[in-house]
C-alpha cells in the first residue's frame, strides 16, 4: 500500500465501508475506539489500525470526548491516517465516554485526520461537529436503516457539493477516479447575517478553541449560537480551530454588548474585544450548557462590576491574521516578545514583593547577609541575633580575615524577613530565563521552552542581563522553529520535539552565546546601566520620567505599557538608586489613568454613560493598586479624548517622581507597598499632580464633545 497522504479537498470523508450499524464491540470505550480504528484501516484509509487506535486513545486520555445527548467524538491526528475519514458506529449497547450529563453514548464518530491535513479537511470536520449539536440530525442517525442512508445524511452536512442532483449515496461516497467538481468548501463558522442586527437588539460575540482544534471548538460555537437564537438575540462565535480561522467581522465586534470565550487554548486576538463584559470558561462548559453562558453574558451587560476583556492580553496574539504563516515576521516577533514579557511578570511581581516584605520585617541591611551566611544555621527555636561574623577566605581556603556585620533587627522579625528576602531573590532569579524561555516558546511552541530557558541562564552567566535574555530567546526560538520545520523520516518525528530540537538548539545557540555574543552583549548591558545611572543623576532624569510616563499611559496594559514596565523591573536586579527611581516613575505613572477617570466621572457624571459612572466607582481602587487596566472601559469607549489626557498626566507624574528622587524597591502594589518607597510624600504629590492634569483634560475634552453633539442635534 502506498503511504501517500491524501490532501485533496474532494475525497469523501465517509463511505458505507466506514459505517457500522448496531455494532457491539465491547463495554468499554477503548473497545469502541479500537473497533473503529479497524473499520477505518479496513476501508484502506489507515495503514495500521493499532497505531491509529493508540493515537486516538492517547487523545482520549487527555479529556473525555463524550458530549451530552448520547454522542461521542473520539478524534486525533495520526501519522497512520492516509485519507481524512469519519468512522461511524451506532452501538447496540451504549458505552460511557465521560459525557457531562452522565449518559452513555450510542452514536460514535471517529474523526481520523492525517498529520498533514489541510484547511479544507479541518473545515469539513468542523461542520460535522456543528451538525451533531442539532437534535434532528442525531435523531435521523439513530433511525437510519442502512449505511448508505447514514452516508448521505453525513455527506449533506459536511460535503454537500459531492451530492449532485440525482446522485445516489453510493455515488457520493465512492472514491472518485475522475476529478471531482472544483467546489470551494463552505466556511466552518456560520456566516454573519446578511442584514445587520436591529439597532436595539442585543449582540454577543466570542471565540472557542480546544486542544486539537477539531471537534469541541466548533461544537461549542454551534451550541452558543443556537442558545442565542432560542433567546431571540444575535450570537456569532469565531471557531479558532486548526488551520485558517474565519474571523468575526470587526464591525460586529464593535457592535457587541458582551463576549463569551469558551477555550482550552489562549484566544487569538483578544485585544479586538477589549473593554467588553466577558464570560471566560473552558470549552466543555459551552458544549454542556451554552444557554447558561448566554444568560450570564446578558446579565453581565448591565453589571458594572462584571469582568471585562483587558487590552494587551497575555500571549500577544494578533488581531485577525489568517494564520501563522501569513503573519509578517515583525508582527510575529512582537507577539513572541510580548509573550515572554507576560510570562515573566509573575516572577517579577512575586519576587519583588517578597523582597520588599523582607525589607519591611528585617530592614534593608538584610541584603548584606546574602551569599555570606546561611539561614539554615537558624530556626524558630534558634533565632539570629544582631551580629554576624563572616570568615573571608581565598580560593585555596586560607583565612584572610573576618568581617562583622551588625543589623538593627534580630530575632523573629529578622528570621522571617531574611526568609522572605531569600524567596524573593530566588523568584527574581528566574526573570531573565523566563523572559528568554517564553520568547522562544512564542516563536517555536513547546520545543522552544527548554533551550530558551537555557539561553536565559547563559545570558546571566556572561553578564548580558535581560538584553542577553532577549537576544538569546529570539535566536533560540527561530532556530528551534527552523528545526521543527525540517522534513525528517517518520521514525525520527517523535524524537524531534523532546530530544533533537532542544538538544540541537541549546548546542548551537548556546555555543553562539558563549563564544561570540556574550562579551558584546555584556558590554551593551553595562553601558546601558551606566547611561541610566547618569541620566537619573542629571537633568536628563526628568526627560526619562516623561518618556516612561507617556509609555505607561499610552495603551494601558498593551505592548508599549509592557515595554516600559519591563524596562523598570529588569533594572531592579541592579539594586541601584537609579533603578529604584525608574521603577517608581513607572509605577506612579501607571496608577494615574484609573484614578483620574474615577475622579472625572465623579465630578462630571453627565459626561459619561451610566456604565462608565459605575466603573468609575471602582476604578480608584484599581488605580491605588497599580492596575492601569482599570481605565480601559473609558479609553475603549472614547480613545481620542481619554488616551491623550492619560498620557499628559502620566508624563507629569513620571517627570515629578524623577525630579523628587522617589524610589521604589517593589515592582508592583501601588500605594499598598508604600513601605518599600523612598520619599512617599513625593510619590503621592507626583500621582496627585498627574491625576489633576488627566481628570481636568478628560472633563474639558468630553465637555467640548458634549457641547458639539448638542449643537448638531439642535
Amino acid at each position: 500500500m502506498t503511504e501517500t497522504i491524501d490532501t485533496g479537498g474532494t475525497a469523501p470523508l465517509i463511505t458505507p465501508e466506514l459505517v457500522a450499524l448496531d455494532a457491539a464491540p465491547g463495554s468499554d470505550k477503548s473497545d469502541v475506539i479500537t473497533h473503529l480504528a479497524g473499520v477505518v484501516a479496513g476501508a484502506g484509509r489507515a495503514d495500521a489500525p493499532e497505531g491509529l487506535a493508540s493515537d486516538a486513545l492517547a487523545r482520549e486520555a487527555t479529556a473525555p470526548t463524550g458530549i451530552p445527548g448520547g454522542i461521542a467524538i473520539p478524534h486525533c491526528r495520526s501519522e497512520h491516517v492516509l485519507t481524512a475519514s469519519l468512522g461511524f458506529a451506532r452501538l447496540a449497547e451504549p458505552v460511557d465516554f465521560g459525557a457531562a450529563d452522565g449518559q452513555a453514548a450510542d452514536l460514535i464518530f471517529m474523526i481520523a485526520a492525517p498529520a498533514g491535513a489541510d484547511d479544507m479537511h479541518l473545515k469539513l470536520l468542523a461542520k460535522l461537529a456543528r451538525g451533531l449539536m442539532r437534535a434532528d440530525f442525531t435523531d435521523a442517525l439513530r433511525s437510519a436503516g442502512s449505511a448508505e442512508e447514514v452516508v448521505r445524511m453525513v455527506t449533506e452536512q459536511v460535503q454537500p457539493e459531492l451530492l449532485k442532483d440525482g446522485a445516489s449515496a453510493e455515488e457520493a461516497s465512492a472514491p472518485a477516479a475522475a476529478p471531482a467538481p472544483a467546489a470551494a468548501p463552505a466556511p466552518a463558522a456560520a456566516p454573519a447575517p446578511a442584514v445587520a442586527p436591529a439597532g436595539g437588539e442585543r449582540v454577543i460575540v466570542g471565540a472557542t478553541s480546544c486542544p486539537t482544534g477539531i471537534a469541541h471548538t466548533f461544537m461549542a460555537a454551534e451550541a452558543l449560537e443556537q442558545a442565542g437564537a432560542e433567546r431571540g438575540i444575535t450570537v456569532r462565535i469565531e471557531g479558532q480551530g486548526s488551520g485558517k480561522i474565519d474571523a468575526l467581522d470587526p464591525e460586529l465586534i464593535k457592535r457587541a454588548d458582551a463576549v463569551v470565550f469558551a477555550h482550552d487554548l489562549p484566544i487569538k486576538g483578544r485585544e479586538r474585544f477589549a473593554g467588553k463584559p466577558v464570560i471566560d470558561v473552558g470549552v466543555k462548559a459551552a458544549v454542556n450548557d451554552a444557554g447558561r453562558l448566554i444568560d450570564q453574558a446578558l446579565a453581565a451587560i448591565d453589571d458594572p462590576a462584571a469582568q471585562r476583556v483587558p487590552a494587551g492580553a497575555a500571549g500577544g496574539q494578533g488581531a485577525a491574521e489568517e494564520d501563522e504563516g501569513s503573519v509578517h515576521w515583525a508582527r510575529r516577533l512582537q507577539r513572541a516578545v510580548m509573550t515572554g514579557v507576560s510570562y515573566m511578570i509573575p516572577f517579577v511581581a512575586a519576587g519583588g514583593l517578597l523582597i520588599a516584605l523582607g525589607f519591611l520585617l528585617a530592614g534593608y541591611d538584610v541584603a548584606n547577609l546574602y551569599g555570606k551566611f546561611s539561614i539554615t544555621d537558624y530556626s524558630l527555636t534558634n533565632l539570629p541575633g544582631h551580629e554576624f561574623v563572616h570568615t573571608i577566605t581565598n580560593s585555596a581556603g586560607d583565612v584572610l580575615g573576618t568581617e562583622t556585620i551588625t543589623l538593627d533587627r534580630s530575632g523573629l522579625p529578622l528570621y522571617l524577613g531574611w526568609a522572605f528576602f531569600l524567596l524573593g531573590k530566588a523568584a527574581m532569579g528566574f526573570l531573565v530565563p523566563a523572559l528568554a524561555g517564553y520568547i522562544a516558546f512564542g516563536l517555536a511552541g513547546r520545543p522552544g521552552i527548554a533551550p530558551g530557558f537555557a539561553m536565559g541562564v547563559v545570558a546571566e552567566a556572561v553578564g548580558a542581563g535581560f538584553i542577553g535574555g532577549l537576544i538569546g530567546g529570539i535566536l533560540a526560538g527561530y532556530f528551534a522553529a527552523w528545526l521543527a520545520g525540517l522534513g525528517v523520516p517518520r521514525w525520527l518525528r517523535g524524537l524531534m520535539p523532546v530530544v533533537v530540537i532542544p538538544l540541537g538548539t541549546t548546542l548551537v545557540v548556546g555555543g553562539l552565546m558563549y563564544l561570540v555574543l556574550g562579551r558584546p552583549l555584556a558590554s551593551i548591558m553595562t553601558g546601558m546601566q551606566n547611561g541610566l545611572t547618569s541620566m537619573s543623576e542629571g537633568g536628563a532624569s526628568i526627560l526619562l520620567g516623561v518618556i516612561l510616563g507617556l509609555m505607561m499611559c499610552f495603551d494601558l496594559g498593551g505592548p508599549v505599557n509592557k515595554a516600559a514596565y519591563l524596562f523598570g523591573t529588569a533594572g531592579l536586579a541592579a539594586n541601584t538608586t537609579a533603578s529604584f527611581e525608574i521603577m517608581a516613575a513607572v509605577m506612579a505613572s501607571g496608577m494615574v489613568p484609573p484614578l483620574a477617570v474615577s475622579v472625572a466621572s465623579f465630578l462630571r457624571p453627565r459626561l459619561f454613560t451610566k456604565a462608565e459612572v459605575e466603573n468609575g466607582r471602582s476604578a480608584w481602587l484599581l488605580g491605588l493598586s497599580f492596575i492601569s487596566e482599570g481605565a480601559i472601559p473609558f479609553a475603549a469607549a472614547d480613545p481620542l479624548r481619554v488616551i491623550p489626557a492619560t498620557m499628559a498626566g502620566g508624563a507629569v507624574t513620571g517627570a515629578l517622581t524623577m525630579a523628587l528622587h522617589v524610589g521604589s524597591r517593589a515592582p508592583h502594589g501601588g500605594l499598598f507597598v508604600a513601605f518599600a518607597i523612598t520619599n512617599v510624600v513625593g510619590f503621592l504629590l507626583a500621582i496627585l499632580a498627574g491625576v489633576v492634569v488627566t481628570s481636568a483634560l478628560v472633563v474639558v475634552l468630553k465637555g467640548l464633545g458634549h457641547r458639539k453633539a448638542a449643537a448638531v442635534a439642535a
Side-chain angles (χ1 to χ4, degrees):
M1 181 182 299
T2 304
E3 295 185 2
T4 302
I5 293 176
D6 180 7
T7 57
T10 57
L13 287 171
I14 187 168
T15 67
E17 292 77 19
L18 294 170
V19 176
L21 297 181
D22 303 320
S27 59
D28 187 79
K29 63 182 179 180
S30 62
D31 298 327
V32 179
I33 291 174
T34 301
H35 175 75
L36 279 172
V39 169
V40 173
R45 291 172 170 249
D47 61 7
E50 63 279 0
L52 173 56
S54 176
D55 290 339
L57 289 170
R59 164 61 186 88
E60 190 76 20
T62 64
T65 54
I67 62 174
I71 305 167
I73 314 179
H75 54 277
C76 69
R77 291 172 179 266
S78 175
E79 297 287 347
H80 301 285
V81 176
L82 307 178
T83 303
S85 303
L86 296 177
F88 173 73
R90 189 175 67 196
L91 302 182
E93 293 294 333
V95 171
D96 182 19
F97 270 77
D101 62 354
Q103 182 177 348
D106 63 334
L107 298 181
I108 317 295
F109 273 101
M110 172 180 275
I111 299 178
D118 63 5
D119 287 355
M120 184 173 292
H121 286 127
L122 297 171
K123 289 183 177 182
L124 295 173
L125 298 175
K127 292 171 71 178
L128 169 69
R130 285 180 173 270
L132 288 174
M133 299 307 295
R134 300 200 326 266
D136 61 332
F137 183 60
T138 55
D139 289 345
L141 289 174
R142 287 190 170 94
S143 61
S146 66
E148 289 76 15
E149 190 176 348
V150 170
V151 169
R152 174 170 285 281
M153 286 187 291
V154 174
T155 304
E156 285 176 347
Q157 173 66 31
V158 299
Q159 289 178 298
E161 69 276 8
L162 295 187
L163 290 176
K164 304 177 290 294
D165 291 341
S168 66
E170 293 84 355
E171 290 170 338
S173 60
V195 179
E201 182 182 339
R202 294 292 197 186
V203 176
I204 296 176
V205 297
T208 58
S209 72
C210 68
T212 58
I214 296 176
H216 288 84
T217 294
F218 301 100
M219 293 168 60
E222 180 70 14
L224 290 168
E225 291 181 0
Q226 284 191 19
E230 292 168 0
R231 288 157 176 77
I233 62 173
T234 297
V235 177
R236 294 291 177 265
I237 305 297
E238 180 178 288
Q240 297 189 354
S242 299
K244 181 178 179 179
I245 297 172
D246 291 314
L248 289 171
D249 184 349
E251 287 302 317
L252 188 65
I253 295 176
K254 185 177 180 180
R255 275 235 28 220
D257 300 291
V259 178
V260 175
F261 290 147
H263 61 113
D264 293 334
L265 294 177
I267 293 296
K268 299 177 181 178
R270 288 178 71 105
E271 65 271 18
R272 293 173 290 163
F273 308 89
K276 296 185 181 294
V278 62
I279 304 300
D280 197 331
V281 296
V283 69
K284 286 290 188 69
V287 175
N288 296 335
D289 195 353
R292 180 175 60 86
L293 299 183
I294 296 300
D295 291 338
Q296 290 177 352
L298 290 171
I301 295 172
D302 299 316
D303 182 4
Q307 178 185 355
R308 293 179 180 269
V309 182
Q317 298 287 2
E321 288 84 1
E322 290 77 9
D323 52 58
E324 260 323 286
S326 67
V327 178
H328 191 275
W329 69 267
R331 177 64 171 157
R332 183 166 176 247
L333 179 59
Q334 180 204 22
R335 290 183 187 177
V337 172
M338 286 304 301
T339 298
V341 173
S342 297
Y343 279 104
M344 178 206 74
I345 286 175
F347 290 96
V348 177
L353 291 173
L354 281 168
I355 289 175
L357 188 58
F359 288 152
L360 175 66
L361 293 175
Y364 292 126
D365 288 339
V366 72
N368 295 330
L369 303 180
Y370 186 72
K372 299 177 181 178
F373 304 93
S374 174
I375 194 173
T376 57
D377 293 337
Y378 304 93
S379 67
L380 290 173
T381 57
N382 178 32
L383 295 171
H386 289 283
E387 289 192 350
F388 298 81
V389 179
H390 175 228
T391 302
I392 304 172
T393 61
N394 59 19
S395 58
D398 301 325
V399 177
L400 303 179
T402 59
E403 174 189 15
T404 300
I405 298 176
T406 304
L407 306 182
D408 61 355
R409 311 282 174 93
S410 64
L412 185 61
L414 175 59
Y415 184 60
L416 293 179
W418 191 0
F420 291 151
F421 174 80
L422 292 176
L423 284 171
K425 289 288 288 185
M428 288 290 285
F430 285 98
L431 188 156
V432 175
L435 175 66
Y438 286 107
I439 287 176
F441 167 71
L443 291 169
R446 292 182 183 178
I449 292 180
F453 265 86
M455 293 312 102
V457 174
V458 171
E460 293 276 47
V462 299
F466 84 92
I467 293 293
L470 189 71
I471 301 299
I474 292 171
L475 292 176
Y478 276 123
F479 193 81
W482 176 76
L483 284 179
L486 293 178
V488 297
R490 176 178 294 182
W491 61 268
L492 186 57
R493 292 177 190 173
L495 294 176
M496 289 294 289
V498 294
V499 177
V500 178
I501 295 175
L503 174 61
T505 304
T506 304
L507 179 64
V508 173
V509 181
L512 186 64
M513 288 286 290
Y514 267 122
L515 303 177
V516 179
L517 297 177
R519 190 181 297 275
L521 290 175
S523 299
I524 293 173
M525 188 68 185
T526 301
M528 189 177 73
Q529 289 175 341
N530 293 338
L532 289 176
T533 301
S534 63
M535 284 186 71
S536 63
E537 293 174 350
S541 64
I542 295 177
L543 176 60
L544 179 60
V546 169
I547 294 172
L548 291 174
L550 291 171
M551 294 176 68
M552 286 299 297
C553 299
F554 173 67
D555 53 1
L556 305 174
V560 177
N561 172 285
K562 288 291 191 294
Y565 185 70
L566 170 63
F567 185 66
T569 55
L572 284 180
N575 202 37
T576 63
T577 300
S579 64
F580 298 148
E581 291 184 1
I582 290 170
M583 189 68 249
V586 166
M587 184 154 65
S589 301
M591 295 169 64
V592 168
L595 288 171
V597 294
S598 179
V599 170
S601 63
F602 173 76
L603 295 176
R604 295 293 301 276
R606 289 183 300 172
L607 300 176
F608 300 87
T609 66
K610 183 179 179 180
E612 287 176 330
V613 172
E614 292 295 329
N615 283 327
R617 293 174 182 172
S618 59
W620 64 271
L621 182 59
L622 299 177
L624 292 179
S625 306
F626 180 38
I627 301 176
S628 305
E629 288 83 351
I632 284 177
F634 298 86
D638 195 1
L640 295 181
R641 294 183 178 89
V642 174
I643 291 178
T646 59
M647 291 176 67
V652 169
T653 297
L656 285 176
T657 57
M658 297 298 282
L660 297 173
H661 298 290
V662 178
S664 174
R665 292 174 180 264
H668 214 291
L671 193 61
F672 299 99
V673 291
F675 59 85
I677 294 173
T678 57
N679 191 5
V680 176
V681 173
F683 183 70
L684 295 175
L685 286 175
I687 294 173
L688 179 61
V691 169
V692 169
V693 170
T694 294
S695 57
L697 282 174
V698 168
V699 168
V700 170
L701 293 174
K702 276 190 166 288
L704 291 174
H706 187 71
R707 286 194 292 273
K708 183 177 179 180
V712 171

